[in-house]
Amino acid sequence: MPWRGVIPEPPRPFGKRHFLFLQGPISPFFPRVAAGLQALGHQVHRVNLHLGDRVFWGATGSVDFTGRSDEWPDWIADFLTRHAITDVLLIGEQRPYHRIAIAAAKARGIAVIVTDYGYLRPDWITLERDGMGGNSLFPRDPAEIRRLAQGLSLPDLKPLYSDHFATMALRDVCYHALAQWPFPFRHYQRHQLLHPFLVYAGLARRLLFRRLEDRRSATVFEGLKTRGNPFWIFVMQLETDFAIRAYSPFADMDAPLGQVMASFAAHAPDKAELLIKLHPLDPCWKPWSARIAAMARAAGIAGRVHIMPRGRLPDLLAASSGLLAVNSTAATSALVLGKPVKLLGQAVYNVPGLSFQGSLDAFWTEGAPPDPALLEAFLTLLCAAHMVRGAFHQDSGLAAAVVGAVARLDQGRINAAAEAAPPDA
């Protein structure tokens, strides 16, 4: 997808604007950003789709949409017009309600700004125009990345904040429990494939057996290090994530798993091994261990494929020969460590010179580390134009994220870097 440059098109007005907040992170992030914008003289509006939205917003000035889903297109279009909305903020541009709102906004020349966890972890959040992943406007051309990064400074990537998992988990449970309350939102339709309570049950089961998973993972890793054979890591992603559902050619994770194993069996070096790293938040209602073992047996590589439920990714990457993913942000960690990366989906880091552009079959023998100069330019531009430093849950990280987001929104610098060199520099 072509990118429109560091300076957004059309240029955003720098006067007072009317912001509409739809569903956001399950965190105080959106309410605090809204308060910051109001303090600067902007108008702020909020639409709630269920009781969790209303309670977590917490501030006055929100409006409830309690109608049926077929009433939403006309309702949101009228809302945008009546309130002269200039900017819409949301998380999850592929959620059905959000897709409709985005279409109505674009038809009226209204800016759409999407946030989520950052392409770099753990203490960056994304704030960009139109969408993330396959919808991101970040350039995929190496020469354009280098040009646009001129005059920018690469920040220190050493983590400053670490998000608080217990707080995140508590907020998530409370939010989705409130979303089940039918009144007055009895027509709300959730976007998740699995009911949230089924997800929590699966995660509770994994938490109960956490020590067993830790021991199993440690045994697998020690075996890999003892044998000393080259090994590649395939990182699993959540099948419910729109990164898989919308920005990949796969309907689930079975298909890429089978594709990778078949290619590994036919083209990887004879003594090479493959490590399958489960996602830490996968509820594992699909019995991945049994499914992966069956795939490995069918491909004739049962003794060379290993499953790791847990484990520190930086340690695994440091010892590995490279990483494969659909479009996981784990790829950025691998690139920073100078590891070859092969991506099977759409991602902003699927760039020639960063990730391997040849076939999956060729990756096992021809995969190369990223170009260091291009990687520095990529990270510089990504941080400067598409992300802000901070976190959604930990207090100091949340405060930093709010300050950074308010400044970007107030100044109209979404997809724009404050220090950017002139386009012809």
Side-chain angles (χ1 to χ4, degrees), residues 133-135 140 243 246-249 326-327 343-350:
N135 274 353
R140 307 308 201 270
Y247 299 134
S248 86
V326 178
N327 45 29
L343 296 164
L344 306 178
Q346 302 171 31
V348 298
Y349 24 89
N350 198 4

Side-chain angles (χ1 to χ4, degrees), residues 160-179:
L160 301 177
Y161 313 103
S162 57
D163 231 338
H164 197 267
F165 178 78
T167 301
M168 177 184 72
L170 178 61
R171 286 172 175 161
D172 195 275
V173 171
C174 291
Y175 176 81
H176 285 112
L178 289 165

Side-chain angles (χ1 to χ4, degrees), residues 43-193:
Q43 290 194 27
V44 169
H45 303 267
R46 161 73 169 192
V47 172
N48 304 312
L49 298 177
H50 58 65
L51 187 60
D53 287 342
R54 183 199 288 177
V55 171
F56 271 71
W57 181 249
T60 58
S62 66
V63 175
D64 297 337
F65 172 72
T66 59
R68 299 184 306 273
S69 59
D70 61 356
E71 298 173 311
W72 173 248
D74 289 340
W75 190 95
I76 190 61
D78 177 67
F79 188 95
L80 294 172
T81 300
R82 279 190 296 110
H83 294 281
I85 300 300
T86 59
D87 303 76
V88 176
L89 283 83
L90 54 86
I91 191 171
E93 71 271 14
Q94 292 292 341
R95 296 179 185 183
Y97 288 98
H98 286 175
R99 285 204 307 267
I100 292 168
I102 289 169
K106 289 187 175 181
R108 291 159 177 78
I110 297 169
V112 175
I113 299 141
V114 177
T115 191
D116 208 330
Y117 292 98
Y119 297 116
L120 295 173
R121 304 291 173 90
D123 59 348
W124 292 87
I125 67 168
T126 298
L127 201 67
E128 61 179 322
R129 287 279 301 277
D130 291 357
M132 298 180 61
N135 274 353
S136 174
L137 301 179
F138 193 87
R140 307 308 201 270
D141 176 50
E144 186 73 353
I145 292 172
R146 288 189 173 98
R147 185 183 72 83
L148 294 171
Q150 292 178 12
L152 304 178
S153 301
L154 177 66
D156 184 356
L157 298 181
K158 182 179 179 181
L160 301 177
Y161 313 103
S162 57
D163 231 338
H164 197 267
F165 178 78
T167 301
M168 177 184 72
L170 178 61
R171 286 172 175 161
D172 195 275
V173 171
C174 291
Y175 176 81
H176 285 112
L178 289 165
Q180 309 313 306
W181 187 257
F183 303 106
F185 304 93
R186 58 184 176 275
H187 301 296
Y188 175 70
Q189 297 182 353
R190 67 177 185 270
H191 61 272
Q192 298 95 337
L193 295 179

Side-chain angles (χ1 to χ4, degrees), residues 196-352:
F197 291 170
L198 284 176
V199 175
Y200 299 144
L203 292 176
R205 180 184 58 185
R206 287 194 67 183
L207 186 62
L208 182 65
F209 293 102
R210 178 174 179 172
R211 290 186 179 179
L212 182 62
E213 286 192 351
D214 284 339
R215 288 197 296 270
R216 179 183 174 189
S217 300
T219 299
V220 168
F221 192 30
E222 286 302 316
L224 287 168
K225 291 191 292 184
T226 299
R227 288 187 297 275
N229 295 326
F231 72 91
W232 282 262
I233 304 169
F234 178 76
V235 287
M236 296 282 286
Q237 293 174 244
L238 299 178
E239 292 186 322
T240 56
D241 195 330
F242 282 112
I244 298 297
R245 294 162 62 182
Y247 299 134
S248 86
F250 308 112
D252 54 27
M253 288 304 297
D254 292 272
L257 271 170
Q259 192 176 108
V260 167
M261 282 198 221
S263 176
F264 179 85
H267 299 281
D270 290 341
K271 292 186 177 181
E273 301 182 63
L274 181 63
L275 176 63
I276 311 296
K277 174 70 171 60
L278 299 187
H279 193 286
L281 297 180
D282 194 321
C284 291
W285 283 115
K286 278 188 175 180
W288 287 120
S289 293
R291 295 170 85 94
I292 291 169
M295 289 183 190
R297 287 194 299 271
I301 50 174
R304 299 164 60 195
V305 176
H306 314 283
I307 306 159
M308 201 163 178
R310 301 179 62 83
R312 291 190 70 253
L313 186 61
D315 296 338
L316 302 178
L317 286 171
S320 75
S321 297
L323 177 135
L324 302 96
V326 178
N327 45 29
S328 169
T329 56
T332 56
S333 299
L335 292 171
V336 169
L337 291 175
K339 297 294 180 176
V341 168
K342 176 62 182 173
L343 296 164
L344 306 178
Q346 302 171 31
V348 298
Y349 24 89
N350 198 4
V351 174

Side-chain angles (χ1 to χ4, degrees), residues 12-21 33-45 57 83-87 89 405-413:
R12 299 305 308 147
F14 290 91
K16 304 310 176 187
R17 307 202 298 284
H18 295 204
F19 290 90
L20 170 61
F21 288 78
V33 169
L37 291 170
Q38 283 181 313
L40 294 171
H42 301 286
Q43 290 194 27
V44 169
H45 303 267
W57 181 249
H83 294 281
I85 300 300
T86 59
D87 303 76
L89 283 83
V406 169
R408 286 280 183 92
L409 293 165
D410 176 57
Q411 298 164 18
R413 288 195 297 107

